[in-house]
Amino acid sequence: MDTCRVPANASKCSGNSMECFMVLSTQAQKISIGILCGLFGTMCVFENSLVLYLIFSSPGIRKKPSYLFIGSLALADILASIIFVCSFVNFHVFNEAGFSKEVFLLQLGGVNTSFSASLSSLLLTALDRYLSISRPSEYKLLMTRRRAWTALGVLWLTCATIACLPLLGWNCCVLDSSCSQLFPFVDDNYLSGWLCFVAVLLGCIIYSYAHVLRRARQHVAYMEKHQAQAGKQNSRMRMDVMLAKTLVMVLAVLVLCWSPVLVLMGYSVFSRLSDRLRKVFAFCSTLCLLNSMVNPIIYALRSKELSSSLRRVFSRFRRQLKASEESPEAESTHKSSVIET
């Protein structure tokens, strides 16, 4: 196995021992992490798979660029959940370290690509809402399906490229530089660059949503002055106000779930982390899964179109279930009537 520098506070380790990064010391901690990852991961895959099904099974919905961005968000969250849970639990709970540097960096690249694509999809959704509320008359001309697919292609390619840089050579083994205290083989400078990338994404998301919230507040003031007026304009403003409430939830969940992880990552670049803080980081990492689990509830299931599609799916399922329950009875009745005859 490659030899690299280990975290400065891991004096008990020698060489590039993967055990240096296995910070869960008790069985209770491992069980807790396993339960959290299993619960959040399972719910995340189920919810986001349902969102993808609702989007692509409805021709009217999947033609809209805004739902393509929500579909990209759902896909990114599914991949993030599967890759993160499998690699995280395998490493921290089962203490599996019998893989090469390339395999570990490939897993880490998959996790980073998925989470980065999730945040980037949130950014595209924010920009889409920004255009719809700031330039409503030109929205359909500006945001076409072709442009939406192009933006998604650039998004995923950029995220995958940035996430795979350690695998391509930007790691502390190849460069003989200082390794991260939180991730094996990861160069501190790369971690700093990735944090800057995520900070830019979050800053753009917050700026776009802040603009939408400001416009929605203006619409609330307008509606209070013109309550007697009715029509499409007021209906549109009510939709903007509802959107604003959704965005408040989005920002709150986003900040709560990502802040602890990003703060500890940034702190690790400039200062030594104690074993206790590294354990805290392991538990805080599951909050990113929680964010991926909550995303479909906030974005998708609060949409009237997707909610209506979900109700239709449940109604169709109930009818099929009812028909399957009644068919054996009908068949047995038919058989008994034949015998009597």
Side-chain angles (χ1 to χ4, degrees), residues 141-167:
L141 295 176
L142 293 173
M143 188 56 69
T144 61
R145 278 175 51 92
R146 183 175 180 179
R147 289 179 177 176
W149 279 112
T150 301
L152 288 174
V154 172
L155 177 158
W156 280 89
L157 181 61
T158 302
C159 292
T161 301
I162 293 175
C164 289
L165 287 177
L167 182 63

Side-chain angles (χ1 to χ4, degrees), residues 10-175:
S11 57
K12 62 177 181 285
C13 304
S14 59
N16 186 51
S17 176
M18 298 288 283
E19 285 76 12
C20 299
F21 298 89
M22 298 175 181
V23 295
L24 303 181
S25 56
T26 67
Q27 195 66 22
Q29 293 172 354
K30 294 179 181 180
I31 292 174
S32 300
I33 284 288
I35 292 174
L36 290 175
C37 288
L39 177 62
F40 292 163
T42 302
M43 291 299 297
C44 182
V45 171
F46 171 76
E47 292 173 359
N48 285 286
S49 298
L50 179 60
V51 169
L52 284 178
Y53 174 77
L54 293 177
I55 291 175
F56 290 101
S57 64
S58 304
I61 293 178
R62 67 169 177 259
K63 291 181 180 179
K64 298 183 178 181
S66 57
Y67 287 104
L68 292 179
F69 299 145
I70 292 178
S72 173
L73 173 65
L75 176 61
D77 286 339
I78 289 174
L79 293 177
S81 300
I82 294 174
I83 301 173
F84 176 84
V85 169
C86 291
S87 58
F88 195 79
V89 171
N90 191 43
F91 186 80
H92 284 290
V93 176
F94 297 110
N95 297 137
E96 179 60 44
F99 43 80
S100 64
K101 175 191 71 177
E102 289 75 18
V103 171
F104 179 85
L105 291 179
L106 181 62
Q107 292 178 350
L108 185 63
V111 173
N112 283 348
T113 298
S114 303
F115 278 126
S116 299
S118 178
L119 286 177
S120 300
S121 298
L122 289 176
L123 174 59
L124 287 184
T125 305
L127 294 176
D128 176 74
R129 296 299 86 202
Y130 178 91
L131 286 176
S132 69
I133 197 171
S134 62
R135 305 174 73 174
S137 60
E138 305 173 42
Y139 172 73
K140 289 186 177 180
L141 295 176
L142 293 173
M143 188 56 69
T144 61
R145 278 175 51 92
R146 183 175 180 179
R147 289 179 177 176
W149 279 112
T150 301
L152 288 174
V154 172
L155 177 158
W156 280 89
L157 181 61
T158 302
C159 292
T161 301
I162 293 175
C164 289
L165 287 177
L167 182 63
L168 297 175
W170 192 354
N171 58 73
C172 54
C173 296
V174 173
L175 301 177

